[in-house]
């Protein structure tokens, strides 16, 4: 996973360790999130998606129910990873909040709510991953902001395609692009100021964004 590959750079700037376990667990977690997202996208809005989200949350809380094979494997791996840190229930709570936010991203026609919930998605994703990375207040502030910035960049790149595929309701107008871009700038400035190696972070961000645009 891209983030796992760059974790040493991000944590190293704060003089924090980046072990093989860190990289492996973050990669496994993000792979599980991508799998959940694919299965979630494959269902119609409303009850089918709410039911899937609820089943995933219950499994993280210890339920013995099952899911489709690939998804089942990823969710069980998630529970194993976070249970080893004592955070399986915390993950379940945060993921439940994430499902609420991501459903709003997909269904709202409002530019304002769409961008607000994109930011919420990014924050919650980082909050879940942070459970694996220890408690350093400076790094946590940076990492939570990174999740927001990263999700805004993703949506800025993909909003037209997401709408064309029927994955979101909001129209990809100039207005929604402007709101995404404005919120991105607002979030990116404190992100860069927070990071100890600002020029290096800017270069890294440009490289990541360039790959998304290919």
């Amino acid at each position: 996973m891209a983030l796992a590959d760059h974790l040493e750079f991000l944590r190293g700037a704060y003089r924090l360790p980046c072990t093989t376990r860190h990289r492996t667990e973050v990669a496994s977690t993000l792979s599980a999130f991508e799998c959940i997202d694919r299965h979630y996208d494959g269902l119609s809005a409303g009850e089918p998606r709410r039911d899937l989200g609820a089943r995933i949350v219950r499994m993280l809380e210890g339920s013995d129910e099952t899911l489709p094979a690939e998804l089942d494997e990823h969710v069980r791996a998630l529970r194993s990873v976070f249970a080893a840190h004592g955070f399986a229930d915390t993950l379940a709570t945060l993921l439940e909040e994430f499902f609420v936010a991501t459903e709003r991203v997909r269904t709202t026609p409002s530019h304002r709510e769409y961008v607000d919930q994109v930011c919420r998605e990014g924050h919650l994703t980082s909050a879940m991953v942070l459970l694996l990375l220890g408690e350093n207040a400076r790094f946590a502030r940076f990492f939570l902001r990174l999740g927001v910035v990263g999700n805004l960049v993703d949506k800025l790149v993909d909003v037209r395609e997401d709408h064309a595929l029927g994955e979101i309701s909001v129209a990809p107008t100039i207005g929604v692009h402007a709101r995404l871009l404005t919120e991105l700038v607002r979030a990116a400035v404190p992100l860069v100021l927070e990071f100890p190696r600002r020029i290096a972070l800017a270069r890294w961000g440009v490289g990541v964004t360039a790959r998304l645009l290919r």
Side-chain angles (χ1 to χ4, degrees):
M1 306 300 296
L3 179 60
D5 292 340
H6 296 283
L7 200 57
E8 185 171 2
F9 161 65
L10 299 174
R11 286 179 64 79
Y14 290 89
R15 299 186 179 182
L16 297 172
C18 181
T19 65
T20 299
R21 183 182 183 185
H22 284 135
R23 289 190 294 271
T24 300
E25 289 184 340
V26 168
S28 174
T29 296
L30 295 180
S31 180
F33 288 169
E34 288 182 1
C35 180
I36 290 169
D37 190 61
R38 287 197 309 273
H39 282 262
Y40 197 86
D41 277 341
L43 297 173
S44 56
E47 191 60 34
R49 292 206 297 233
R50 284 195 296 271
D51 178 65
L52 178 64
R55 290 169 66 195
I56 291 170
V57 168
R58 288 195 298 269
M59 284 186 68
L60 292 174
E61 292 172 335
S63 166
D64 60 358
E65 59 191 287
T66 60
L67 295 164
E70 180 197 21
L71 184 57
D72 192 89
E73 180 180 349
H74 277 293
V75 173
R76 291 183 188 281
L78 263 185
R79 175 165 175 78
S80 177
V81 166
F82 282 83
H85 291 268
F87 287 128
D89 288 344
T90 306
L91 174 67
T93 298
L94 290 172
L95 191 59
E96 188 171 28
E97 293 178 25
F98 179 88
F99 283 130
V100 172
T102 201
E103 187 65 10
R104 289 176 179 165
V105 166
R106 287 165 164 79
T107 59
T108 182
S110 163
H111 293 180
R112 181 184 296 276
E113 185 176 19
Y114 173 75
V115 175
D116 286 348
Q117 295 305 317
V118 165
C119 293
R120 182 68 176 153
E121 273 188 336
H123 175 90
L124 287 167
T125 300
S126 278
M128 289 185 279
V129 176
L130 265 176
L131 297 172
L132 306 173
L133 298 177
E135 298 179 359
N136 179 280
R138 286 188 66 209
F139 180 75
R141 283 196 303 271
F142 164 78
F143 198 75
L144 289 170
R145 288 173 176 150
L146 181 65
V148 172
V149 169
N151 209 34
L152 285 165
V153 171
D154 282 346
K155 295 301 190 288
L156 197 55
V157 171
D158 293 339
V159 64
R160 289 187 183 280
E161 182 179 358
D162 288 347
H163 185 266
L165 293 172
E167 293 176 1
I168 58 173
S169 296
V170 73
T173 62
I174 292 174
V176 80
H177 280 86
R179 189 176 288 276
L180 282 166
L181 185 58
T182 299
E183 196 59 39
L184 175 59
V185 172
R186 184 179 295 144
V189 170
L191 176 79
V192 174
L193 293 177
E194 176 69 39
F195 198 69
R197 299 176 58 199
R198 296 172 186 173
I199 294 175
L201 180 67
R203 289 173 177 165
W204 176 77
V206 168
V208 170
T209 303
R211 285 192 289 276
L212 285 173
L213 292 171
R214 288 175 184 168

